[in-house]
Amino acid sequence: LAWHWAQVVASKYKSCAQVRTARALRMMPSAKRALGAVSQSVDDSRAAEKRFKSAIEESAAEFTCPITHELPLDPVMAEDGHVYEMTAIEEWLARGSGKSPMTTAPMGKTLLPALQVKNMIASMVKSGALCGAVVEQWQKKIADEEKLRRLRAEAEAGDALAMTRMGIAYLRGKSGQKQDCTQAFQWFRRGAEAESVGCGLMLSRCYDQGLGCEKSLPLGNLHLGIAAGRGSRMGAFDLGRAFDKGSRGLPKDGKMATEWFRKALKPVDVAAVGLEISPLNRSMAEAWLAEHATDR
């Protein structure tokens, strides 16, 4: 009897398993279709994303200045219908070619502000639609422009250190500022008149090399002496070297060289442009004094 009931139970389980198997087999086409639909949806999403990214990249390419190959800070529309960085296209037109950088066709000098393009670039960068190296360069230029704006405001307010840094920015073309030796000279002269040591030192170098002004060694020496007298260790080092070599129109004089090299090594209370001396020049002054000092 027990064996009989075991057979009955086994038969029922087998029957149920067969039913489940048959049901699963009937459902497989539907499952396959569902999986296929999901896979197609994923592929469609990826394709749409790819198309969107391609469209964004094409838009970025349309906004990129053909001259600088960067996103413009101050975009303008030229007569050839293309967008350029204002300073770049102005320089191009100033050369007098009279031709479009893009088409080489004759082109006039009329430039119109492209404010819509400027706003669109800013919006796309902010949203993350535009990214990559070209955006990083644009963001750096924006940061440099803001830094320069603050520095100019401080310099205009009479801050001596800001005047020195403003002049250096113009002299070297740093912090996003276009190189302009004339502007650099004017800032250094303005700062020197306000008794800025750094500006006085840089003004002497402008006169030495004719940067933004007529070359004049006497005026260079004058402002170098003033800066050194006001505590410029770099100025003192330059005078010590001049007296050692008999250069800058000054006589060769070991005593004066000793005096100025010692002043170059004199500690100062604060670090500022024009007051400091480089480690290399410090080593040179120390070595010279150890060998040539006249009052040892």
Side-chain angles (χ1 to χ4, degrees):
L1 183 63
W3 179 85
H4 171 72
W5 282 110
Q7 290 293 321
V8 171
V9 171
S11 176
K12 287 185 177 181
Y13 273 113
K14 183 177 180 181
S15 177
C16 289
Q18 289 173 341
V19 170
R20 287 196 297 270
T21 300
R23 187 180 298 168
L25 288 172
R26 287 196 301 271
M27 292 177 63
M28 282 183 68
S30 298
K32 287 181 179 179
R33 287 195 297 272
L35 288 173
V38 170
S39 177
Q40 183 63 44
S41 177
V42 171
D43 290 342
D44 290 344
S45 297
R46 287 175 178 171
E49 183 181 352
K50 188 175 181 180
R51 288 195 298 272
F52 176 74
K53 185 177 181 181
S54 177
I56 291 297
E57 290 175 350
E58 288 177 5
S59 298
E62 286 295 322
F63 296 147
T64 300
C65 172
I67 299 174
T68 64
H69 304 292
E70 297 177 354
L71 293 174
L73 289 182
D74 294 306
V76 293
M77 181 76 73
E79 290 187 17
D80 63 356
H82 292 283
V83 174
Y84 298 90
E85 178 69 76
M86 182 172 66
T87 55
I89 190 62
E90 284 178 343
E91 288 180 4
W92 175 276
L93 294 172
R95 295 172 192 161
S97 68
K99 295 182 179 180
S100 163
M102 284 291 289
T103 66
T104 69
M107 184 179 76
K109 296 186 177 181
T110 302
L111 301 174
L112 299 175
L115 295 179
Q116 187 175 3
V117 172
K118 183 174 184 177
N119 293 336
M120 191 175 297
I121 291 173
S123 177
M124 293 175 75
V125 169
K126 185 177 180 180
S127 68
L130 284 180
C131 57
V134 69
V135 170
E136 291 174 3
Q137 291 174 344
W138 183 84
Q139 290 173 324
K140 184 180 184 304
K141 289 194 295 183
I142 290 290
D144 286 343
E145 190 178 65
E146 175 59 22
K147 187 187 298 183
L148 190 65
R149 186 194 65 77
R150 293 197 301 267
L151 182 63
R152 184 184 295 277
E154 293 171 2
E156 292 286 0
D159 185 283
L161 183 57
M163 289 185 203
T164 307
R165 289 176 174 166
M166 196 72 197
I168 291 173
Y170 273 113
L171 186 65
R172 300 176 181 171
K174 295 180 65 177
S175 301
Q177 180 60 60
K178 180 183 175 182
Q179 187 178 30
D180 189 330
C181 291
T182 301
Q183 285 289 333
F185 173 79
Q186 291 174 357
W187 276 111
F188 292 144
R189 183 169 61 182
R190 179 175 172 180
E193 290 171 354
E195 299 187 357
S196 164
V197 175
C199 282
L201 179 65
M202 296 306 297
L203 186 62
S204 75
R205 292 180 175 174
C206 285
Y207 278 121
D208 288 347
Q209 302 174 46
L211 300 174
C213 61
E214 185 177 347
K215 189 173 181 178
S216 173
L217 188 57
L219 286 175
N221 284 341
L222 171 65
H223 288 285
L224 178 61
I226 292 173
R230 287 175 175 165
S232 170
R233 292 190 290 173
M234 194 63 241
F237 175 83
D238 286 349
L239 282 176
R241 187 166 52 180
F243 279 113
D244 173 47
K245 303 294 184 183
S247 60
R248 300 186 63 92
L250 299 174
K252 190 169 183 177
D253 189 324
K255 184 177 180 180
M256 292 297 294
T258 298
E259 179 182 340
W260 284 113
F261 277 136
R262 284 221 169 104
K263 287 183 178 180
L265 299 177
K266 186 178 179 181
V268 292
D269 295 333
V270 294
V273 177
L275 292 179
E276 69 277 3
I277 184 174
S278 70
L280 176 60
N281 289 339
R282 168 177 286 278
S283 297
M284 291 173 63
E286 289 172 342
W288 189 94
L289 288 170
E291 185 176 355
H292 301 289
T294 59
D295 56 353
R296 286 179 298 172

